[in-house]
Amino acid sequence: MQRSTLRIDPRFRTPAPRAFDLDADVVDRRLTDPAAERRALVTGLLATPATIAPKYFYDAIGCALFCKICNLPEYYPTRTEARIFDREREAIVAAIGTGKQLIDLGAGDCAKAAVWLPWLQPSTYVAVDIAADALEQALPKLALAYPEIDIRGVLVDFTRGLDLDLDVADGPTTFFYPGSSIGNFTPADALEFLNGITRHCAADGGLLIGVDTKKDPARLRAAYDDAAGVTAAFNRNVLVHVNRLLGTRFRPDGFKHVALYNEALSRVEMHLEAIDAQTVTIDGIGRIFRAGERIHTESSYKYAPAEFVAMLQRAGFANVRVWQDDARDFAVCYATTHSAG
Ligand code: AVJ
């Protein structure tokens, strides 16, 4: 920051910035039903094939590993989306308009949204995420940097259903859902989730969303099975997290990282494959994992841009614009609800 040369535009000379108050400005809606949460995790592990929902990747270590993934040479989505955002900034801002309320779904460390704040100048910025650490570190800094914006955080697992009635004020609302996180939903669930967003948008609102596109399966596979083994560590770490949550004794190095592209379903799948037979006690039940048996940990669906636009329209959005990089590796969409007029 060039402190000595900083001149403050008088329009932004607001009253002394109110200190960000973690207790008052971040609401925790995570622990609505911890028993049900636990039961769902146990049920997934006892099922055949066994599954663990991808949200369990994101403990503190998992968040740090995901951050590393985003900088890997093989993992193109994050940097490609950032390039599209940079290149199309002004067109996107013109499409969205300024002064609206901005809801950031899966905000994490809020770094992606922070770039947009001076451009979109939202009245309110609501960061929504299941992970508290990153959010609670980022929000006080943003509040200092942008005293004119009402900055709040909501801790919630929005993959269980988007209910932000208490957090979204009336008036035009922009939802921000970058990074192709929508790919973790099945297409049917994605449609329902997007439909839920339209209900929160109000008139003159919209959704700015990033989605990964279908491409050469070899490149897709490499993006989820990098040479440095970071994604493998990210995948295995889910077992460390589960051990902590359930008191189980999974041996993470007893499982091999598997990433494949399921062409029929247009999705990358990540699995953890038992290297040898092992028995794990889960909620008092001895679950046997045979050698070669897999735990399905993530699906990441890929869409042709036209397919995704059709889905946005089916979800109730009126108008959709699409921006892509030259290689068409990724797509950014801005979908609007009907205007108030
Ligand atoms: C955060 C869901 C978009 O599917 O690409 C990255 C997560 N998993 N490498 C993705 C992920 C393995 C990522 N999303």
Side-chain angles (χ1 to χ4, degrees):
M1 188 193 281
Q2 314 155 284
R3 200 176 295 268
S4 54
T5 58
L6 188 71
R7 289 185 58 237
I8 297 170
D9 183 322
R11 285 172 302 154
F12 290 104
R13 210 176 278 148
T14 50
R18 176 185 61 90
F20 191 79
D21 178 350
L22 277 181
D23 289 328
D25 297 335
V26 179
V27 278
D28 192 343
R29 305 198 197 290
R30 285 172 304 178
L31 296 174
T32 43
D33 194 351
E37 188 79 4
R38 194 190 154 97
R39 241 180 293 123
L41 179 56
V42 166
T43 303
L45 284 167
L46 294 178
T48 308
T51 59
I52 301 172
K55 64 185 173 194
Y56 292 107
F57 284 132
Y58 302 97
D59 67 350
I61 290 175
C63 288
L65 287 169
F66 181 65
C67 201
K68 274 194 170 184
I69 288 174
C70 292
N71 291 306
L72 289 169
E74 296 96 332
Y75 194 76
Y76 58 85
T78 313
R79 89 177 60 88
T80 308
E81 181 183 60
R83 281 196 199 122
I84 299 169
F85 282 160
D86 282 346
R87 188 166 85 175
E88 308 294 348
R89 185 89 56 205
E90 280 165 32
I92 294 172
V93 171
I96 295 176
T98 58
K100 299 178 179 178
Q101 147 179 241
L102 181 64
I103 316 286
D104 187 2
L105 297 174
D109 62 6
C110 306
K112 284 187 188 180
V115 180
W116 289 99
L117 295 181
W119 292 90
L120 294 175
Q121 300 172 21
S123 55
T124 307
Y125 169 65
V126 185
V128 185
D129 208 294
I130 190 174
D133 293 13
L135 213 65
E136 289 176 347
Q137 284 193 20
L139 291 181
K141 290 179 202 154
L142 280 183
L144 271 181
Y146 298 96
E148 67 281 15
I149 303 175
D150 179 10
I151 290 180
R152 284 180 286 121
V154 180
L155 297 172
V156 72
D157 175 12
F158 58 80
T159 65
R160 290 164 64 96
L162 190 71
D163 179 8
L164 295 173
D165 284 343
L166 296 171
D167 311 299
V168 177
D170 293 337
T173 304
T174 307
F175 279 84
F176 182 49
Y177 197 31
S180 198
S181 293
I182 190 76
N184 274 170
F185 290 103
T186 64
D189 288 347
L191 179 64
E192 198 186 312
F193 183 73
L194 293 170
N195 185 262
I197 293 178
T198 65
R199 278 187 273 111
H200 282 296
C201 274
D204 295 319
L207 165 68
L208 180 64
I209 185 167
V211 65
D212 195 11
T213 56
K214 292 176 176 172
K215 58 182 62 65
D216 173 16
R219 281 191 62 214
L220 284 170
R221 234 180 299 115
Y224 292 81
D225 192 7
D226 60 281
V230 181
T231 309
F234 175 74
N235 197 8
R236 284 196 194 94
N237 178 65
V238 83
L239 295 178
V240 180
H241 191 197
V242 167
N243 282 345
R244 200 164 54 241
L245 292 171
L246 296 182
T248 46
R249 292 191 184 180
F250 280 100
R251 284 188 296 111
D253 39 341
F255 289 83
K256 190 176 102 179
H257 168 66
V258 175
L260 55 92
Y261 184 57
N262 182 331
E263 212 147 2
L265 295 175
S266 309
R267 68 187 197 191
V268 171
E269 297 175 7
M270 296 211 312
H271 302 266
L272 288 164
E273 186 176 293
I275 294 165
D276 43 29
Q278 35 201 302
T279 303
V280 181
T281 305
I282 301 161
D283 213 26
I285 297 165
R287 165 65 152 103
I288 300 166
F289 293 91
R290 290 171 288 104
E293 189 174 348
R294 289 172 176 176
I295 305 172
H296 185 180
T297 52
E298 182 169 50
S299 292
S300 189
Y301 284 83
K302 309 301 169 187
Y303 292 91
E307 286 174 334
F308 196 69
V309 169
M311 180 182 284
L312 287 163
Q313 288 167 338
R314 248 181 294 140
F317 287 100
N319 187 40
V320 185
R321 292 195 57 180
V322 183
W323 295 272
Q324 289 199 266
D325 55 304
D326 292 338
R328 297 177 186 272
D329 280 344
F330 200 88
V332 166
C333 302
Y334 179 62
T336 58
T337 49
H338 292 275
S339 68

